[in-house]
Amino acid sequence: MDSRSHDLRDTHYYNLLLMAMAPKDVEKKIESLREKIRHHEYRYYVLDDPEITDAAFDQLMNALKKLEGEHPDLVTPDSPTQRVGGKPREGFVKAPHSSPMLSLDNTYNEEDLRNWERRVHELSGRSDIEYVCELKLDGMSLALHYEDGKLLRGITRGDGSIGEDVTLNVRTVRSIPLAIAKEKLKQAGIPAGFEVRGEMLMPIAAFRRMNEEREQKELSQFANPRNATAGTVRQLEPSVTAERRLDYFGYMLLVNGQTYFDRHSKTLDALEAAGFKVNTRRKLAENFAQVWAFIEEWEEKRESLPYEIDGIVIKVDRTALQQELGYTGKAPRWAIAYKYAARAGITRIEDILVQVGRTGKLTPVAALAPVPIGGTTVSRATLHNLDEIERLGVKIGDWVEVERGGDVIPKVTRVVEDKAHPRGHKSFHMPERCPECGTKVVRTEGEVDYRCVNANCPAKLRETILHFASRHVMNIEGMGDALVNQLTDRGLVKNVADIYRITKADLLQLERMGDKSAQNVLDEIEASKKLPLERVIFGLGIRFVGERTAQFLAEHFGSIDALMDASPEELQQVNEVGPRIAQSIAEFFQEPKNRDLVEQLRKFKLTLTGHKKQRGTKLAGKTFVLTGTLAGYSRDQAKKMIEDAGGRVAGSVSKKTDYVIAGSDAGSKLEKARELGVAVIGEKEMTELLG
Ligand code: IVH
């Protein structure tokens, strides 16, 4: 649903409808729209099984936004329009837990697990014990408090007794219900006031996308989905959390700090019935053999999951037995984690090579003595940059620990040094010349990275073609490393437009290419011509222009021609485009070669126009910062209104801010504005500015 369009609904029809509607009817209509939207959010985000198209969903959402916009008094915090919003925060407030949030004891092998089971038998005096097996999700645990069926608070684990109130970020997670109907709770057998505990996580795909975006913007990378989850839950701007696509699985239900149902398996079923996302990959095991089978099954299949797990959690099913078994210091005796072997290994660095990326960036890569890690053999790991090599203190010949997570490229995490693993001696130096083309390498003052500045460097070409053909860009399946290497080596492809010149005869002369695969590639190339403008913009490989920026550019300009002719000033009118990105885009299109490339793409009939989003000009060139709670609008609504009128909404106050719009409880942004002498206006003045 990422790409939901935001076309406005037929306003005329709605105005007529509204004029005819009595206040009670409006209220009813609003509630009925909310119920529908909640249902479809549940189908999409919890069940992963949508019943309607994204466009149909947008229509419902826009209809609700419109009605709420006209009746601000009817906006309630549990409305689906209110996921992002609320007061700005300068930090998090501490919040106590209803009962301690415990952690789990770990086991790493079958023997230890059998010992745990034996202890359970001994302490309980029984041997017929059922266990629930669940995946151990690798995220962060989080408690959700509901009152009257409504989400009241989300609290991080913290030290187990006191966590941090991260409600505003939690609300943006679409698989977490903001409100649950009384009937639904009743059917699930859950009272209206309760607490769910579970795991917040970032799916691998969302993690990769986020890191790609960050790389485009030359921001630091998150090491793994778990860190990314924690970083996202604990960052201060809810709209950022909303974009990062977190997910939440419930695994505990408490009422007044106590387990509510008499069996854990019932708890999970009840949470599911109430509309929470509960992992379907679970099992009620009747004996150890079944527990072990579940552990083995998922050890093998863990690579196929869309998120990371680090083991299996085994819990005694009956609550009465759990209570009998009780707790040791920090962990329950009635549950245990079986941890899978870390996807890390120790091996030796045989050499450090340098890879040249699409932007010419030189990345040092460790050539490793091949080592099996989590089912595959790893012989390369990234060292990111020279600063990282210095931080790790890595030398050629060192033994190092290498980690691999999900889809992420393996990386060196530390140097291992002991009797069996003596240190290496050879230091790595960044080459003075590009290893691919021999051009002198440049490091710009203040930047971490070294770059090859030769526009015709073959490595850049190869990476540019790979980027253009990749899934998020022109999605040309089959055009991976092997094919692109051959195409560029043989001079068949010298720029991205050449892709559209490839003939079957060209392909048939390549290695491992039969008639059928050649035809498949040609069909894929043909199909890519239909992809929307933003993909082409992204595909051009303009520095700092990632997927999101490409989308904003396409929406703002509506055609490649308008984009090509835009001045840096005009470019800065675009959402999230600052001087650095604007400069980079303008420079790209000043280059005659690049303009010529666009002309070639036009000749091949790629999609070079799109739908310009109607934006006003009333606030063109003006930058706003929102702070405090507005009475009549949510943050989202206000932001959209300003952007629709051509204005820009920034996250922090600087000298370049034109207006700070302050609602009630405005915090330090207001102070900052006063300090810098930036105009501060209220909601009323904002409405006036918007006309
Ligand atoms: S139950 C008292 N179930 O693992 C029981 N925890 O190492 C507490 N975790 O802090 C937790 N998946 O963050 C439980 N299915 C699952 C889990 C799970 C992941 C995490 C959780 C906990 C940590 C303990």
Side-chain angles (χ1 to χ4, degrees):
M1 246 188 284
D2 286 350
S3 56
R4 273 187 194 142
S5 61
H6 293 277
D7 341 50
L8 275 179
R9 231 199 151 170
D10 183 352
T11 34
H12 179 64
Y13 166 73
Y14 266 90
N15 284 341
L16 287 179
L17 201 72
L18 280 175
M19 280 193 294
M21 245 194 244
K24 261 265 157 301
D25 293 339
V26 176
E27 226 177 311
K28 265 198 196 143
K29 176 79 190 152
I30 286 184
E31 210 25 69
S32 124
L33 277 169
R34 285 178 187 160
E35 266 315 306
K36 280 193 189 128
I37 292 169
R38 282 180 194 129
H39 170 76
H40 292 300
E41 281 189 325
Y42 171 71
R43 297 291 315 191
Y44 188 95
Y45 293 105
V46 177
L47 300 184
D48 199 9
D49 183 19
E51 289 173 338
I52 58 171
T53 63
D54 291 0
F57 182 90
D58 283 346
Q59 286 199 345
L60 289 172
M61 200 58 143
N62 284 331
L64 177 61
K65 278 186 191 158
K66 183 153 195 325
L67 276 178
E68 287 184 347
E70 280 149 359
H71 301 271
D73 50 315
L74 296 180
V75 178
T76 56
D78 64 330
S79 170
T81 58
Q82 304 300 303
R83 283 201 177 265
V84 184
K87 289 183 206 166
R89 288 146 318 147
E90 315 304 339
F92 296 108
V93 175
K94 296 254 184 284
H97 287 296
S98 61
S99 65
M101 268 184 102
L102 301 168
S103 96
L104 295 168
D105 283 333
N106 294 326
T107 55
Y108 297 91
N109 55 53
E110 188 178 342
E111 194 190 337
D112 288 351
L113 192 62
R114 282 192 188 276
N115 285 339
W116 171 75
E117 198 212 13
R118 186 165 335 115
R119 240 181 5 257
V120 168
H121 287 179
E122 281 166 12
L123 287 170
S124 64
R126 306 172 58 141
S127 56
D128 58 335
I129 295 178
E130 288 154 308
Y131 303 97
V132 175
C133 306
E134 294 167 33
L135 302 185
K136 189 168 185 303
L137 306 165
D138 204 4
M140 69 187 286
S141 52
L142 202 90
L144 306 176
H145 291 254
Y146 284 79
E147 236 176 67
D148 207 20
K150 297 194 173 94
L151 176 65
L152 193 69
R153 237 191 318 279
I155 311 176
T156 63
R157 177 163 180 274
D159 65 3
S161 319
I162 297 174
E164 282 177 323
D165 185 326
V166 288
T167 311
L168 293 181
N169 286 341
V170 164
R171 289 173 57 91
T172 68
V173 178
R174 313 300 203 284
S175 49
I176 296 178
L178 295 180
I180 306 168
K182 294 234 158 57
E183 267 79 90
K184 200 163 183 180
L185 281 175
K186 208 167 158 197
Q187 272 169 15
I190 300 177
F194 61 93
E195 175 183 349
V196 177
R197 290 182 181 176
E199 200 80 353
M200 187 79 98
L201 59 82
M202 187 180 286
I204 294 168
F207 168 71
R208 276 180 45 209
R209 245 177 138 118
M210 181 185 83
N211 261 354
E212 270 165 30
E213 282 281 337
R214 292 178 69 86
E215 186 168 10
Q216 299 280 350
K217 296 192 175 154
E218 306 197 356
L219 296 169
S220 66
Q221 302 272 297
F222 279 105
N224 53 47
R226 177 170 22 90
N227 289 1
T229 306
T232 302
V233 166
R234 295 195 68 263
Q235 64 80 45
L236 293 166
E237 189 60 52
S239 61
V240 173
T241 310
E243 274 157 22
R244 295 214 190 143
R245 305 285 157 196
L246 295 173
D247 210 347
Y248 182 84
F249 289 89
Y251 49 64
M252 259 179 127
L253 172 78
L254 303 179
V255 176
N256 300 322
Q258 302 277 323
T259 303
Y260 189 67
F261 290 102
D262 63 348
R263 281 174 178 266
H264 181 61
S265 48
K266 275 197 200 163
T267 298
L268 297 180
D269 293 345
L271 285 176
E272 204 165 64
F276 287 93
K277 197 160 179 169
V278 176
N279 211 313
T280 51
R281 290 136 176 150
R282 62 181 191 259
K283 175 174 163 153
L284 183 60
E286 281 163 19
N287 52 44
F288 190 87
Q290 289 181 6
V291 169
W292 191 250
F294 188 83
I295 289 175
E296 287 194 315
E297 178 189 345
W298 284 104
E299 174 142 40
E300 207 168 284
K301 293 202 288 196
R302 76 191 273 213
E303 303 282 335
S304 66
L305 292 166
Y307 40 75
E308 295 206 332
I309 63 170
D310 58 346
I312 298 295
V313 182
I314 303 114
K315 300 173 184 171
V316 168
D317 190 35
R318 284 183 186 273
T319 308
L321 266 178
Q322 291 182 357
Q323 279 158 356
E324 241 173 76
L325 289 161
Y327 302 83
T328 69
K330 271 195 349 214
R333 284 199 195 87
W334 49 265
I336 194 142
Y338 179 89
K339 298 266 277 208
Y340 290 136
R343 282 184 297 196
I346 291 175
T347 188
R348 208 166 152 260
I349 296 191
E350 294 179 331
D351 200 359
I352 296 178
L353 313 170
V354 171
Q355 232 170 43
V356 185
R358 177 163 59 87
T359 58
K361 178 182 157 187
L362 269 55
T363 304
V365 176
L368 305 166
V371 55
I373 302 177
T376 56
T377 303
V378 173
S379 52
R380 289 244 191 291
T382 179
L383 285 159
H384 298 295
N385 52 48
L386 211 52
D387 284 12
E388 177 72 355
I389 291 180
E390 273 160 25
R391 191 184 68 82
L392 292 165
V394 169
K395 291 204 159 87
I396 297 166
D398 274 344
W399 291 84
V400 289
E401 186 181 68
V402 177
E403 227 179 69
R404 194 173 71 84
D407 267 342
V408 193
I409 314 160
K411 59 170 189 259
V412 173
T413 49
R414 69 187 174 95
V415 174
V416 179
E417 186 183 6
D418 54 34
K419 278 211 183 90
H421 303 107
R423 291 293 313 258
H425 294 294
K426 197 168 160 207
S427 296
F428 168 79
H429 298 285
M430 206 42 110
E432 282 180 13
R433 297 191 171 273
C434 170
E436 297 266 352
C437 69
T439 305
K440 221 168 147 42
V441 158
V442 173
R443 183 189 213 180
T444 312
E445 190 70 36
E447 275 190 22
V448 181
D449 297 321
Y450 289 75
R451 287 173 197 283
C452 166
V453 290
N454 171 13
N456 298 314
C457 173
K460 277 189 195 171
L461 172 63
R462 213 172 44 231
E463 297 297 324
T464 303
I465 305 293
L466 277 169
H467 167 72
F468 189 84
S470 67
R471 198 151 53 92
H472 291 311
V473 190
M474 300 309 280
N475 194 24
I476 306 177
E477 221 185 297
M479 200 172 267
D481 283 308
L483 180 56
V484 171
N485 276 343
Q486 296 191 68
L487 290 170
T488 52
D489 283 355
R490 290 172 191 236
L492 288 167
V493 169
K494 296 200 187 69
N495 60 38
V496 296
D498 285 344
I499 295 175
Y500 296 93
R501 284 197 184 88
I502 300 175
T503 63
K504 196 169 216 177
D506 290 338
L507 291 172
L508 285 173
Q509 55 170 301
L510 305 177
E511 284 159 33
R512 273 170 300 168
M513 188 59 78
D515 193 80
K516 187 141 182 273
S517 7
Q519 191 54 50
N520 284 345
V521 171
L522 291 178
D523 292 347
E524 288 281 331
I525 293 175
E526 192 56 33
S528 75
K529 294 180 181 174
K530 299 252 158 6
L531 291 181
L533 173 64
E534 58 265 28
R535 299 273 195 133
V536 182
I537 297 175
F538 184 29
L540 290 174
I542 306 166
R543 197 160 168 220
F544 307 130
V545 176
E547 201 172 352
R548 245 172 93 77
T549 308
Q551 172 99 37
F552 288 135
L553 290 169
E555 281 173 2
H556 185 96
F557 291 105
S559 75
I560 200 101
D561 296 298
L563 172 64
M564 281 200 287
D565 292 334
S567 66
E569 292 70 37
E570 283 167 311
L571 286 161
Q572 281 192 59
Q573 298 298 315
V574 179
N575 210 3
E576 294 185 12
V577 174
R580 192 180 65 143
I581 305 180
Q583 192 58 35
S584 162
I585 300 168
E587 274 171 14
F588 182 90
F589 288 116
Q590 264 158 31
E591 171 63 45
K593 264 198 204 142
N594 292 333
R595 297 186 80 95
D596 179 54
L597 189 67
V598 171
E599 289 321 309
Q600 295 180 48
L601 294 176
R602 196 193 311 275
K603 227 175 60 207
F604 291 117
K605 300 208 160 40
L606 271 78
T607 313
L608 300 183
T609 56
H611 293 289
K612 197 166 163 169
K613 267 216 183 157
Q614 282 302 319
R615 271 171 197 266
T617 51
K618 242 189 187 111
L619 304 184
K622 298 275 180 272
T623 302
F624 293 76
V625 172
L626 295 162
T627 179
T629 313
L630 304 179
Y633 314 93
S634 73
R635 274 287 181 94
D636 246 9
Q637 283 169 333
K639 183 166 185 260
K640 189 163 185 309
M641 282 160 64
I642 293 168
E643 284 172 0
D644 285 348
R648 221 174 96 83
V649 177
S652 57
V653 183
S654 76
K655 274 190 225 142
K656 289 191 205 130
T657 312
D658 293 292
Y659 296 98
V660 167
I661 303 172
S664 55
D665 298 318
S668 70
K669 286 183 191 167
L670 183 55
E671 280 164 37
K672 182 90 187 276
R674 298 219 164 106
E675 233 170 71
L676 295 174
V678 172
V680 177
I681 61 171
E683 200 167 337
K684 208 169 128 239
E685 288 92 339
M686 175 184 92
T687 322
E688 279 163 15
L689 273 179
L690 285 162

